Amino acid sequence: MEILIKNLTFSYPGSSSTVLQEINLYIPSGQFVAIIGQSGCGKSTLLRLLAGLLQPIHGEIHLNGKDASLRSNHPAVAWMAQSPALLPWLTARQNVALPLRFQRNGSTALLEPEEALERVGLAAYSDEYPHHLSGGMQQRVALARLLVQGAAIWLMDEPFAALDELTREHLSNTLLDLWQWLHPTVIWVTHHIYEAVRLADRILVLSPQPAQVIEDITVALPRPRHENSRGFNAYVTQLRNTLFSASPSGDLAHAGISQQ
Ligand SMILES: Nc1ncnc2c1ncn2[C@@H]1O[C@H](COP(=O)(O)OP(=O)(O)OP(=O)(O)O)[C@@H](O)[C@H]1O
């Protein structure tokens, strides 16, 4: 599903500071987009607007040509965040099945919960409760829950950031496999320069508040990508330089950006 954002401006109610200022973007259907920018610049706010959890002050958001700016909880959109938000009294399968209970008329489940768990490598754990699963496994359950929703847009707010590096890499590989299979439009918020280059078709760099898109980079590298891939480091350097020059302190770690 394609996304068109026109002159999007946003401030939180009661706040005098503008978080997002005049954002204009076109994201074609099936693109994997990473959004990077210093801590607090407005990345999650942009996702919340796309999800319909917030409404713009000015501007419009169109999903597949339809104005969705004033709609809440658009059914085409699924969300995944840093916390897997599993219900502890439900098994993995029951957690995955949960969104189906709230499915609106007309929308169909893409996969059965059992099949979704199999796709993320957890077929043997479907009867386990969350507290018996590692952090990485819990995020796999959350990924399976995303799959059953059959959404055309996946909004991913640093979903693997709380995991160790190796688990994060495994899970992002699983995510890439799923994306290549289903081709949803993915908007992926990250603090990691390497992760953005490894995963995305396109990287949008946001400035500090009021956030604007200061760089729009197409990553023209074949997948799978790793740090030693030809051309990889040129993108890393480009991103690092853009983020460095946008950072008021000139210190990327201080701005919450990881160079790994
Ligand atoms: N509910 C809210 N009410 C008022 N201000 C908010 C609210 N949520 C976020 N903000 C402010 O909006 C700005 C952008 O926040 P947001 O969470 O979108 O940034 P972010 O780039 O996702 O940050 P991080 O990288 O640290 O997660 C921040 O200044 C934040 O303090």
Side-chain angles (χ1 to χ4, degrees), residues 32-36 190 193 195-205 213 215-219 225 235 239:
F32 194 127
V33 179
I35 298 182
I36 193 164
T190 184
I193 292 178
E195 186 176 76
V197 178
R198 212 168 67 75
L199 298 179
D201 291 325
R202 179 180 179 190
I203 304 170
L204 304 173
V205 183
V213 178
E215 187 103 57
D216 185 343
I217 303 169
T218 300
V219 186
R225 300 173 189 157
Y235 288 105
L239 265 177

mmCIF file with all atom_site columns, all heavy atoms in Angstrom, residues 32-36 190 193 195-205 213 215-219 225 235 239:
data_model
loop_
_atom_site.group_PDB
_atom_site.id
_atom_site.type_symbol
_atom_site.label_atom_id
_atom_site.label_alt_id
_atom_site.label_comp_id
_atom_site.label_asym_id
_atom_site.label_entity_id
_atom_site.label_seq_id
_atom_site.pdbx_PDB_ins_code
_atom_site.Cartn_x
_atom_site.Cartn_y
_atom_site.Cartn_z
_atom_site.occupancy
_atom_site.B_iso_or_equiv
_atom_site.pdbx_formal_charge
_atom_site.auth_seq_id
_atom_site.auth_comp_id
_atom_site.auth_asym_id
_atom_site.auth_atom_id
_atom_site.pdbx_PDB_model_num
ATOM 1   N N   . PHE A 1 32  ? 10.759 -0.743 1.771  1.00 0.00 ? 32  PHE A N   1
ATOM 2   C CA  . PHE A 1 32  ? 11.256 -0.883 3.150  1.00 0.00 ? 32  PHE A CA  1
ATOM 3   C C   . PHE A 1 32  ? 12.010 0.402  3.477  1.00 0.00 ? 32  PHE A C   1
ATOM 4   O O   . PHE A 1 32  ? 13.088 0.649  2.961  1.00 0.00 ? 32  PHE A O   1
ATOM 5   C CB  . PHE A 1 32  ? 12.184 -2.096 3.246  1.00 0.00 ? 32  PHE A CB  1
ATOM 6   C CG  . PHE A 1 32  ? 12.481 -2.542 4.658  1.00 0.00 ? 32  PHE A CG  1
ATOM 7   C CD1 . PHE A 1 32  ? 12.284 -3.861 5.031  1.00 0.00 ? 32  PHE A CD1 1
ATOM 8   C CD2 . PHE A 1 32  ? 12.955 -1.654 5.614  1.00 0.00 ? 32  PHE A CD2 1
ATOM 9   C CE1 . PHE A 1 32  ? 12.555 -4.289 6.331  1.00 0.00 ? 32  PHE A CE1 1
ATOM 10  C CE2 . PHE A 1 32  ? 13.223 -2.063 6.909  1.00 0.00 ? 32  PHE A CE2 1
ATOM 11  C CZ  . PHE A 1 32  ? 13.033 -3.390 7.270  1.00 0.00 ? 32  PHE A CZ  1
ATOM 12  N N   . VAL A 1 33  ? 11.398 1.232  4.336  1.00 0.00 ? 33  VAL A N   1
ATOM 13  C CA  . VAL A 1 33  ? 11.949 2.557  4.628  1.00 0.00 ? 33  VAL A CA  1
ATOM 14  C C   . VAL A 1 33  ? 12.444 2.597  6.071  1.00 0.00 ? 33  VAL A C   1
ATOM 15  O O   . VAL A 1 33  ? 11.698 2.238  6.985  1.00 0.00 ? 33  VAL A O   1
ATOM 16  C CB  . VAL A 1 33  ? 10.858 3.641  4.447  1.00 0.00 ? 33  VAL A CB  1
ATOM 17  C CG1 . VAL A 1 33  ? 11.401 5.026  4.765  1.00 0.00 ? 33  VAL A CG1 1
ATOM 18  C CG2 . VAL A 1 33  ? 10.297 3.601  3.034  1.00 0.00 ? 33  VAL A CG2 1
ATOM 19  N N   . ALA A 1 34  ? 13.681 3.022  6.270  1.00 0.00 ? 34  ALA A N   1
ATOM 20  C CA  . ALA A 1 34  ? 14.183 3.237  7.636  1.00 0.00 ? 34  ALA A CA  1
ATOM 21  C C   . ALA A 1 34  ? 14.139 4.734  7.929  1.00 0.00 ? 34  ALA A C   1
ATOM 22  O O   . ALA A 1 34  ? 14.439 5.551  7.057  1.00 0.00 ? 34  ALA A O   1
ATOM 23  C CB  . ALA A 1 34  ? 15.606 2.726  7.763  1.00 0.00 ? 34  ALA A CB  1
ATOM 24  N N   . ILE A 1 35  ? 13.756 5.058  9.170  1.00 0.00 ? 35  ILE A N   1
ATOM 25  C CA  . ILE A 1 35  ? 13.763 6.459  9.604  1.00 0.00 ? 35  ILE A CA  1
ATOM 26  C C   . ILE A 1 35  ? 14.762 6.592  10.743 1.00 0.00 ? 35  ILE A C   1
ATOM 27  O O   . ILE A 1 35  ? 14.696 5.849  11.726 1.00 0.00 ? 35  ILE A O   1
ATOM 28  C CB  . ILE A 1 35  ? 12.368 6.902  10.079 1.00 0.00 ? 35  ILE A CB  1
ATOM 29  C CG1 . ILE A 1 35  ? 11.384 6.800  8.919  1.00 0.00 ? 35  ILE A CG1 1
ATOM 30  C CG2 . ILE A 1 35  ? 12.408 8.322  10.618 1.00 0.00 ? 35  ILE A CG2 1
ATOM 31  C CD1 . ILE A 1 35  ? 9.993  7.262  9.246  1.00 0.00 ? 35  ILE A CD1 1
ATOM 32  N N   . ILE A 1 36  ? 15.691 7.505  10.569 1.00 0.00 ? 36  ILE A N   1
ATOM 33  C CA  . ILE A 1 36  ? 16.723 7.674  11.589 1.00 0.00 ? 36  ILE A CA  1
ATOM 34  C C   . ILE A 1 36  ? 16.826 9.155  11.929 1.00 0.00 ? 36  ILE A C   1
ATOM 35  O O   . ILE A 1 36  ? 16.578 10.020 11.069 1.00 0.00 ? 36  ILE A O   1
ATOM 36  C CB  . ILE A 1 36  ? 18.068 7.057  11.098 1.00 0.00 ? 36  ILE A CB  1
ATOM 37  C CG1 . ILE A 1 36  ? 19.074 6.928  12.221 1.00 0.00 ? 36  ILE A CG1 1
ATOM 38  C CG2 . ILE A 1 36  ? 18.644 7.797  9.906  1.00 0.00 ? 36  ILE A CG2 1
ATOM 39  C CD1 . ILE A 1 36  ? 20.246 5.992  11.900 1.00 0.00 ? 36  ILE A CD1 1
ATOM 40  N N   . THR A 1 190 ? 14.772 3.494  13.601 1.00 0.00 ? 190 THR A N   1
ATOM 41  C CA  . THR A 1 190 ? 15.988 2.921  14.186 1.00 0.00 ? 190 THR A CA  1
ATOM 42  C C   . THR A 1 190 ? 16.935 4.016  14.664 1.00 0.00 ? 190 THR A C   1
ATOM 43  O O   . THR A 1 190 ? 16.865 5.159  14.215 1.00 0.00 ? 190 THR A O   1
ATOM 44  C CB  . THR A 1 190 ? 16.705 2.010  13.162 1.00 0.00 ? 190 THR A CB  1
ATOM 45  O OG1 . THR A 1 190 ? 17.823 1.396  13.789 1.00 0.00 ? 190 THR A OG1 1
ATOM 46  C CG2 . THR A 1 190 ? 17.167 2.767  11.928 1.00 0.00 ? 190 THR A CG2 1
ATOM 47  N N   . ILE A 1 193 ? 22.860 3.130  12.606 1.00 0.00 ? 193 ILE A N   1
ATOM 48  C CA  . ILE A 1 193 ? 23.274 3.457  11.237 1.00 0.00 ? 193 ILE A CA  1
ATOM 49  C C   . ILE A 1 193 ? 23.460 2.170  10.420 1.00 0.00 ? 193 ILE A C   1
ATOM 50  O O   . ILE A 1 193 ? 22.943 2.045  9.313  1.00 0.00 ? 193 ILE A O   1
ATOM 51  C CB  . ILE A 1 193 ? 24.578 4.286  11.261 1.00 0.00 ? 193 ILE A CB  1
ATOM 52  C CG1 . ILE A 1 193 ? 24.293 5.667  11.860 1.00 0.00 ? 193 ILE A CG1 1
ATOM 53  C CG2 . ILE A 1 193 ? 25.180 4.400  9.863  1.00 0.00 ? 193 ILE A CG2 1
ATOM 54  C CD1 . ILE A 1 193 ? 25.506 6.571  11.975 1.00 0.00 ? 193 ILE A CD1 1
ATOM 55  N N   . GLU A 1 195 ? 22.286 -0.844 10.920 1.00 0.00 ? 195 GLU A N   1
ATOM 56  C CA  . GLU A 1 195 ? 21.028 -1.569 10.735 1.00 0.00 ? 195 GLU A CA  1
ATOM 57  C C   . GLU A 1 195 ? 20.215 -0.946 9.597  1.00 0.00 ? 195 GLU A C   1
ATOM 58  O O   . GLU A 1 195 ? 19.649 -1.655 8.753  1.00 0.00 ? 195 GLU A O   1
ATOM 59  C CB  . GLU A 1 195 ? 20.237 -1.519 12.043 1.00 0.00 ? 195 GLU A CB  1
ATOM 60  C CG  . GLU A 1 195 ? 18.983 -2.352 12.047 1.00 0.00 ? 195 GLU A CG  1
ATOM 61  C CD  . GLU A 1 195 ? 18.327 -2.331 13.407 1.00 0.00 ? 195 GLU A CD  1
ATOM 62  O OE1 . GLU A 1 195 ? 17.683 -1.324 13.758 1.00 0.00 ? 195 GLU A OE1 1
ATOM 63  O OE2 . GLU A 1 195 ? 18.464 -3.317 14.139 1.00 0.00 ? 195 GLU A OE2 1
ATOM 64  N N   . ALA A 1 196 ? 20.189 0.377  9.556  1.00 0.00 ? 196 ALA A N   1
ATOM 65  C CA  . ALA A 1 196 ? 19.436 1.073  8.489  1.00 0.00 ? 196 ALA A CA  1
ATOM 66  C C   . ALA A 1 196 ? 19.996 0.679  7.120  1.00 0.00 ? 196 ALA A C   1
ATOM 67  O O   . ALA A 1 196 ? 19.241 0.351  6.200  1.00 0.00 ? 196 ALA A O   1
ATOM 68  C CB  . ALA A 1 196 ? 19.519 2.584  8.703  1.00 0.00 ? 196 ALA A CB  1
ATOM 69  N N   . VAL A 1 197 ? 21.320 0.675  6.994  1.00 0.00 ? 197 VAL A N   1
ATOM 70  C CA  . VAL A 1 197 ? 21.926 0.360  5.689  1.00 0.00 ? 197 VAL A CA  1
ATOM 71  C C   . VAL A 1 197 ? 21.733 -1.124 5.356  1.00 0.00 ? 197 VAL A C   1
ATOM 72  O O   . VAL A 1 197 ? 21.538 -1.498 4.206  1.00 0.00 ? 197 VAL A O   1
ATOM 73  C CB  . VAL A 1 197 ? 23.429 0.740  5.672  1.00 0.00 ? 197 VAL A CB  1
ATOM 74  C CG1 . VAL A 1 197 ? 24.065 0.377  4.334  1.00 0.00 ? 197 VAL A CG1 1
ATOM 75  C CG2 . VAL A 1 197 ? 23.615 2.220  5.964  1.00 0.00 ? 197 VAL A CG2 1
ATOM 76  N N   . ARG A 1 198 ? 21.770 -1.967 6.384  1.00 0.00 ? 198 ARG A N   1
ATOM 77  C CA  . ARG A 1 198 ? 21.643 -3.411 6.142  1.00 0.00 ? 198 ARG A CA  1
ATOM 78  C C   . ARG A 1 198 ? 20.238 -3.788 5.662  1.00 0.00 ? 198 ARG A C   1
ATOM 79  O O   . ARG A 1 198 ? 20.063 -4.662 4.824  1.00 0.00 ? 198 ARG A O   1
ATOM 80  C CB  . ARG A 1 198 ? 21.969 -4.178 7.430  1.00 0.00 ? 198 ARG A CB  1
ATOM 81  C CG  . ARG A 1 198 ? 22.612 -5.525 7.191  1.00 0.00 ? 198 ARG A CG  1
ATOM 82  C CD  . ARG A 1 198 ? 23.169 -6.088 8.468  1.00 0.00 ? 198 ARG A CD  1
ATOM 83  N NE  . ARG A 1 198 ? 22.146 -6.438 9.435  1.00 0.00 ? 198 ARG A NE  1
ATOM 84  C CZ  . ARG A 1 198 ? 21.370 -7.500 9.332  1.00 0.00 ? 198 ARG A CZ  1
ATOM 85  N NH1 . ARG A 1 198 ? 21.483 -8.324 8.326  1.00 0.00 ? 198 ARG A NH1 1
ATOM 86  N NH2 . ARG A 1 198 ? 20.460 -7.742 10.252 1.00 0.00 ? 198 ARG A NH2 1
ATOM 87  N N   . LEU A 1 199 ? 19.220 -3.071 6.194  1.00 0.00 ? 199 LEU A N   1
ATOM 88  C CA  . LEU A 1 199 ? 17.847 -3.522 5.947  1.00 0.00 ? 199 LEU A CA  1
ATOM 89  C C   . LEU A 1 199 ? 17.105 -2.766 4.845  1.00 0.00 ? 199 LEU A C   1
ATOM 90  O O   . LEU A 1 199 ? 16.358 -3.373 4.075  1.00 0.00 ? 199 LEU A O   1
ATOM 91  C CB  . LEU A 1 199 ? 17.023 -3.404 7.236  1.00 0.00 ? 199 LEU A CB  1
ATOM 92  C CG  . LEU A 1 199 ? 17.475 -4.249 8.425  1.00 0.00 ? 199 LEU A CG  1
ATOM 93  C CD1 . LEU A 1 199 ? 16.570 -3.989 9.615  1.00 0.00 ? 199 LEU A CD1 1
ATOM 94  C CD2 . LEU A 1 199 ? 17.466 -5.725 8.078  1.00 0.00 ? 199 LEU A CD2 1
ATOM 95  N N   . ALA A 1 200 ? 17.298 -1.459 4.781  1.00 0.00 ? 200 ALA A N   1
ATOM 96  C CA  . ALA A 1 200 ? 16.300 -0.644 4.067  1.00 0.00 ? 200 ALA A CA  1
ATOM 97  C C   . ALA A 1 200 ? 16.572 -0.448 2.577  1.00 0.00 ? 200 ALA A C   1
ATOM 98  O O   . ALA A 1 200 ? 17.711 -0.464 2.127  1.00 0.00 ? 200 ALA A O   1
ATOM 99  C CB  . ALA A 1 200 ? 16.207 0.721  4.750  1.00 0.00 ? 200 ALA A CB  1
ATOM 100 N N   . ASP A 1 201 ? 15.473 -0.229 1.831  1.00 0.00 ? 201 ASP A N   1
ATOM 101 C CA  . ASP A 1 201 ? 15.572 0.236  0.441  1.00 0.00 ? 201 ASP A CA  1
ATOM 102 C C   . ASP A 1 201 ? 15.914 1.721  0.417  1.00 0.00 ? 201 ASP A C   1
ATOM 103 O O   . ASP A 1 201 ? 16.499 2.222  -0.528 1.00 0.00 ? 201 ASP A O   1
ATOM 104 C CB  . ASP A 1 201 ? 14.188 0.150  -0.251 1.00 0.00 ? 201 ASP A CB  1
ATOM 105 C CG  . ASP A 1 201 ? 13.745 -1.276 -0.476 1.00 0.00 ? 201 ASP A CG  1
ATOM 106 O OD1 . ASP A 1 201 ? 14.591 -2.122 -0.749 1.00 0.00 ? 201 ASP A OD1 1
ATOM 107 O OD2 . ASP A 1 201 ? 12.515 -1.525 -0.389 1.00 0.00 ? 201 ASP A OD2 1
ATOM 108 N N   . ARG A 1 202 ? 15.452 2.382  1.478  1.00 0.00 ? 202 ARG A N   1
ATOM 109 C CA  . ARG A 1 202 ? 15.515 3.845  1.488  1.00 0.00 ? 202 ARG A CA  1
ATOM 110 C C   . ARG A 1 202 ? 15.653 4.301  2.939  1.00 0.00 ? 202 ARG A C   1
ATOM 111 O O   . ARG A 1 202 ? 15.004 3.722  3.823  1.00 0.00 ? 202 ARG A O   1
ATOM 112 C CB  . ARG A 1 202 ? 14.203 4.337  0.896  1.00 0.00 ? 202 ARG A CB  1
ATOM 113 C CG  . ARG A 1 202 ? 14.025 5.817  0.823  1.00 0.00 ? 202 ARG A CG  1
ATOM 114 C CD  . ARG A 1 202 ? 12.659 6.058  0.218  1.00 0.00 ? 202 ARG A CD  1
ATOM 115 N NE  . ARG A 1 202 ? 12.323 7.436  0.109  1.00 0.00 ? 202 ARG A NE  1
ATOM 116 C CZ  . ARG A 1 202 ? 11.108 7.875  -0.209 1.00 0.00 ? 202 ARG A CZ  1
ATOM 117 N NH1 . ARG A 1 202 ? 10.126 7.011  -0.448 1.00 0.00 ? 202 ARG A NH1 1
ATOM 118 N NH2 . ARG A 1 202 ? 10.862 9.145  -0.309 1.00 0.00 ? 202 ARG A NH2 1
ATOM 119 N N   . ILE A 1 203 ? 16.474 5.310  3.154  1.00 0.00 ? 203 ILE A N   1
ATOM 120 C CA  . ILE A 1 203 ? 16.675 5.807  4.522  1.00 0.00 ? 203 ILE A CA  1
ATOM 121 C C   . ILE A 1 203 ? 16.321 7.295  4.555  1.00 0.00 ? 203 ILE A C   1
ATOM 122 O O   . ILE A 1 203 ? 16.841 8.082  3.761  1.00 0.00 ? 203 ILE A O   1
ATOM 123 C CB  . ILE A 1 203 ? 18.141 5.624  4.982  1.00 0.00 ? 203 ILE A CB  1
ATOM 124 C CG1 . ILE A 1 203 ? 18.547 4.142  4.869  1.00 0.00 ? 203 ILE A CG1 1
ATOM 125 C CG2 . ILE A 1 203 ? 18.332 6.123  6.407  1.00 0.00 ? 203 ILE A CG2 1
ATOM 126 C CD1 . ILE A 1 203 ? 20.036 3.894  5.073  1.00 0.00 ? 203 ILE A CD1 1
ATOM 127 N N   . LEU A 1 204 ? 15.432 7.644  5.466  1.00 0.00 ? 204 LEU A N   1
ATOM 128 C CA  . LEU A 1 204 ? 15.062 9.050  5.649  1.00 0.00 ? 204 LEU A CA  1
ATOM 129 C C   . LEU A 1 204 ? 15.716 9.552  6.927  1.00 0.00 ? 204 LEU A C   1
ATOM 130 O O   . LEU A 1 204 ? 15.562 8.930  7.982  1.00 0.00 ? 204 LEU A O   1
ATOM 131 C CB  . LEU A 1 204 ? 13.544 9.191  5.782  1.00 0.00 ? 204 LEU A CB  1
ATOM 132 C CG  . LEU A 1 204 ? 12.715 8.623  4.632  1.00 0.00 ? 204 LEU A CG  1
ATOM 133 C CD1 . LEU A 1 204 ? 11.224 8.675  4.971  1.00 0.00 ? 204 LEU A CD1 1
ATOM 134 C CD2 . LEU A 1 204 ? 12.991 9.402  3.342  1.00 0.00 ? 204 LEU A CD2 1
ATOM 135 N N   . VAL A 1 205 ? 16.450 10.644 6.811  1.00 0.00 ? 205 VAL A N   1
ATOM 136 C CA  . VAL A 1 205 ? 17.080 11.231 8.000  1.00 0.00 ? 205 VAL A CA  1
ATOM 137 C C   . VAL A 1 205 ? 16.249 12.429 8.430  1.00 0.00 ? 205 VAL A C   1
ATOM 138 O O   . VAL A 1 205 ? 15.970 13.327 7.620  1.00 0.00 ? 205 VAL A O   1
ATOM 139 C CB  . VAL A 1 205 ? 18.529 11.687 7.707  1.00 0.00 ? 205 VAL A CB  1
ATOM 140 C CG1 . VAL A 1 205 ? 19.185 12.211 8.972  1.00 0.00 ? 205 VAL A CG1 1
ATOM 141 C CG2 . VAL A 1 205 ? 19.346 10.547 7.108  1.00 0.00 ? 205 VAL A CG2 1
ATOM 142 N N   . VAL A 1 213 ? 12.571 16.174 6.819  1.00 0.00 ? 213 VAL A N   1
ATOM 143 C CA  . VAL A 1 213 ? 13.422 15.172 6.174  1.00 0.00 ? 213 VAL A CA  1
ATOM 144 C C   . VAL A 1 213 ? 14.607 15.919 5.561  1.00 0.00 ? 213 VAL A C   1
ATOM 145 O O   . VAL A 1 213 ? 14.441 16.706 4.638  1.00 0.00 ? 213 VAL A O   1
ATOM 146 C CB  . VAL A 1 213 ? 12.647 14.406 5.079  1.00 0.00 ? 213 VAL A CB  1
ATOM 147 C CG1 . VAL A 1 213 ? 13.565 13.408 4.384  1.00 0.00 ? 213 VAL A CG1 1
ATOM 148 C CG2 . VAL A 1 213 ? 11.448 13.696 5.688  1.00 0.00 ? 213 VAL A CG2 1
ATOM 149 N N   . GLU A 1 215 ? 17.530 14.290 4.585  1.00 0.00 ? 215 GLU A N   1
ATOM 150 C CA  . GLU A 1 215 ? 18.228 13.465 3.594  1.00 0.00 ? 215 GLU A CA  1
ATOM 151 C C   . GLU A 1 215 ? 17.327 12.281 3.265  1.00 0.00 ? 215 GLU A C   1
ATOM 152 O O   . GLU A 1 215 ? 16.687 11.705 4.140  1.00 0.00 ? 215 GLU A O   1
ATOM 153 C CB  . GLU A 1 215 ? 19.560 12.984 4.172  1.00 0.00 ? 215 GLU A CB  1
ATOM 154 C CG  . GLU A 1 215 ? 20.431 12.266 3.188  1.00 0.00 ? 215 GLU A CG  1
ATOM 155 C CD  . GLU A 1 215 ? 21.594 13.120 2.667  1.00 0.00 ? 215 GLU A CD  1
ATOM 156 O OE1 . GLU A 1 215 ? 22.391 13.605 3.479  1.00 0.00 ? 215 GLU A OE1 1
ATOM 157 O OE2 . GLU A 1 215 ? 21.679 13.268 1.435  1.00 0.00 ? 215 GLU A OE2 1
ATOM 158 N N   . ASP A 1 216 ? 17.272 11.956 1.988  1.00 0.00 ? 216 ASP A N   1
ATOM 159 C CA  . ASP A 1 216 ? 16.435 10.854 1.509  1.00 0.00 ? 216 ASP A CA  1
ATOM 160 C C   . ASP A 1 216 ? 17.349 9.986  0.635  1.00 0.00 ? 216 ASP A C   1
ATOM 161 O O   . ASP A 1 216 ? 17.676 10.349 -0.479 1.00 0.00 ? 216 ASP A O   1
ATOM 162 C CB  . ASP A 1 216 ? 15.268 11.456 0.700  1.00 0.00 ? 216 ASP A CB  1
ATOM 163 C CG  . ASP A 1 216 ? 14.265 10.410 0.250  1.00 0.00 ? 216 ASP A CG  1
ATOM 164 O OD1 . ASP A 1 216 ? 14.596 9.210  0.271  1.00 0.00 ? 216 ASP A OD1 1
ATOM 165 O OD2 . ASP A 1 216 ? 13.150 10.810 -0.144 1.00 0.00 ? 216 ASP A OD2 1
ATOM 166 N N   . ILE A 1 217 ? 17.788 8.866  1.212  1.00 0.00 ? 217 ILE A N   1
ATOM 167 C CA  . ILE A 1 217 ? 18.847 8.072  0.571  1.00 0.00 ? 217 ILE A CA  1
ATOM 168 C C   . ILE A 1 217 ? 18.275 6.756  0.039  1.00 0.00 ? 217 ILE A C   1
ATOM 169 O O   . ILE A 1 217 ? 17.655 5.998  0.787  1.00 0.00 ? 217 ILE A O   1
ATOM 170 C CB  . ILE A 1 217 ? 19.959 7.748  1.597  1.00 0.00 ? 217 ILE A CB  1
ATOM 171 C CG1 . ILE A 1 217 ? 20.524 9.025  2.190  1.00 0.00 ? 217 ILE A CG1 1
ATOM 172 C CG2 . ILE A 1 217 ? 21.058 6.894  0.976  1.00 0.00 ? 217 ILE A CG2 1
ATOM 173 C CD1 . ILE A 1 217 ? 21.431 8.800  3.390  1.00 0.00 ? 217 ILE A CD1 1
ATOM 174 N N   . THR A 1 218 ? 18.493 6.484  -1.224 1.00 0.00 ? 218 THR A N   1
ATOM 175 C CA  . THR A 1 218 ? 18.120 5.174  -1.783 1.00 0.00 ? 218 THR A CA  1
ATOM 176 C C   . THR A 1 218 ? 19.327 4.254  -1.651 1.00 0.00 ? 218 THR A C   1
ATOM 177 O O   . THR A 1 218 ? 20.428 4.599  -2.091 1.00 0.00 ? 218 THR A O   1
ATOM 178 C CB  . THR A 1 218 ? 17.753 5.334  -3.274 1.00 0.00 ? 218 THR A CB  1
ATOM 179 O OG1 . THR A 1 218 ? 16.654 6.228  -3.347 1.00 0.00 ? 218 THR A OG1 1
ATOM 180 C CG2 . THR A 1 218 ? 17.375 3.998  -3.885 1.00 0.00 ? 218 THR A CG2 1
ATOM 181 N N   . VAL A 1 219 ? 19.127 3.115  -1.000 1.00 0.00 ? 219 VAL A N   1
ATOM 182 C CA  . VAL A 1 219 ? 20.247 2.183  -0.791 1.00 0.00 ? 219 VAL A CA  1
ATOM 183 C C   . VAL A 1 219 ? 20.242 1.172  -1.941 1.00 0.00 ? 219 VAL A C   1
ATOM 184 O O   . VAL A 1 219 ? 19.443 0.231  -1.957 1.00 0.00 ? 219 VAL A O   1
ATOM 185 C CB  . VAL A 1 219 ? 20.138 1.461  0.574  1.00 0.00 ? 219 VAL A CB  1
ATOM 186 C CG1 . VAL A 1 219 ? 21.378 0.608  0.826  1.00 0.00 ? 219 VAL A CG1 1
ATOM 187 C CG2 . VAL A 1 219 ? 19.948 2.469  1.698  1.00 0.00 ? 219 VAL A CG2 1
ATOM 188 N N   . ARG A 1 225 ? 22.972 -8.033 2.792  1.00 0.00 ? 225 ARG A N   1
ATOM 189 C CA  . ARG A 1 225 ? 24.045 -7.047 2.945  1.00 0.00 ? 225 ARG A CA  1
ATOM 190 C C   . ARG A 1 225 ? 24.751 -7.258 4.273  1.00 0.00 ? 225 ARG A C   1
ATOM 191 O O   . ARG A 1 225 ? 24.120 -7.604 5.261  1.00 0.00 ? 225 ARG A O   1
ATOM 192 C CB  . ARG A 1 225 ? 23.446 -5.643 2.973  1.00 0.00 ? 225 ARG A CB  1
ATOM 193 C CG  . ARG A 1 225 ? 22.677 -5.292 1.739  1.00 0.00 ? 225 ARG A CG  1
ATOM 194 C CD  . ARG A 1 225 ? 21.982 -3.956 1.968  1.00 0.00 ? 225 ARG A CD  1
ATOM 195 N NE  . ARG A 1 225 ? 21.065 -3.674 0.903  1.00 0.00 ? 225 ARG A NE  1
ATOM 196 C CZ  . ARG A 1 225 ? 20.032 -2.847 1.019  1.00 0.00 ? 225 ARG A CZ  1
ATOM 197 N NH1 . ARG A 1 225 ? 19.787 -2.243 2.161  1.00 0.00 ? 225 ARG A NH1 1
ATOM 198 N NH2 . ARG A 1 225 ? 19.244 -2.644 -0.014 1.00 0.00 ? 225 ARG A NH2 1
ATOM 199 N N   . TYR A 1 235 ? 27.546 4.289  2.269  1.00 0.00 ? 235 TYR A N   1
ATOM 200 C CA  . TYR A 1 235 ? 26.259 4.711  2.840  1.00 0.00 ? 235 TYR A CA  1
ATOM 201 C C   . TYR A 1 235 ? 26.412 5.051  4.326  1.00 0.00 ? 235 TYR A C   1
ATOM 202 O O   . TYR A 1 235 ? 25.809 6.002  4.821  1.00 0.00 ? 235 TYR A O   1
ATOM 203 C CB  . TYR A 1 235 ? 25.206 3.617  2.657  1.00 0.00 ? 235 TYR A CB  1
ATOM 204 C CG  . TYR A 1 235 ? 24.750 3.477  1.224  1.00 0.00 ? 235 TYR A CG  1
ATOM 205 C CD1 . TYR A 1 235 ? 25.178 2.408  0.439  1.00 0.00 ? 235 TYR A CD1 1
ATOM 206 C CD2 . TYR A 1 235 ? 23.906 4.422  0.651  1.00 0.00 ? 235 TYR A CD2 1
ATOM 207 C CE1 . TYR A 1 235 ? 24.761 2.282  -0.883 1.00 0.00 ? 235 TYR A CE1 1
ATOM 208 C CE2 . TYR A 1 235 ? 23.490 4.308  -0.662 1.00 0.00 ? 235 TYR A CE2 1
ATOM 209 C CZ  . TYR A 1 235 ? 23.921 3.238  -1.419 1.00 0.00 ? 235 TYR A CZ  1
ATOM 210 O OH  . TYR A 1 235 ? 23.515 3.123  -2.715 1.00 0.00 ? 235 TYR A OH  1
ATOM 211 N N   . LEU A 1 239 ? 25.518 8.677  5.914  1.00 0.00 ? 239 LEU A N   1
ATOM 212 C CA  . LEU A 1 239 ? 24.561 8.829  7.019  1.00 0.00 ? 239 LEU A CA  1
ATOM 213 C C   . LEU A 1 239 ? 25.216 9.485  8.233  1.00 0.00 ? 239 LEU A C   1
ATOM 214 O O   . LEU A 1 239 ? 24.649 10.388 8.851  1.00 0.00 ? 239 LEU A O   1
ATOM 215 C CB  . LEU A 1 239 ? 24.061 7.453  7.447  1.00 0.00 ? 239 LEU A CB  1
ATOM 216 C CG  . LEU A 1 239 ? 22.761 6.965  6.850  1.00 0.00 ? 239 LEU A CG  1
ATOM 217 C CD1 . LEU A 1 239 ? 22.464 5.565  7.331  1.00 0.00 ? 239 LEU A CD1 1
ATOM 218 C CD2 . LEU A 1 239 ? 21.619 7.902  7.261  1.00 0.00 ? 239 LEU A CD2 1
#
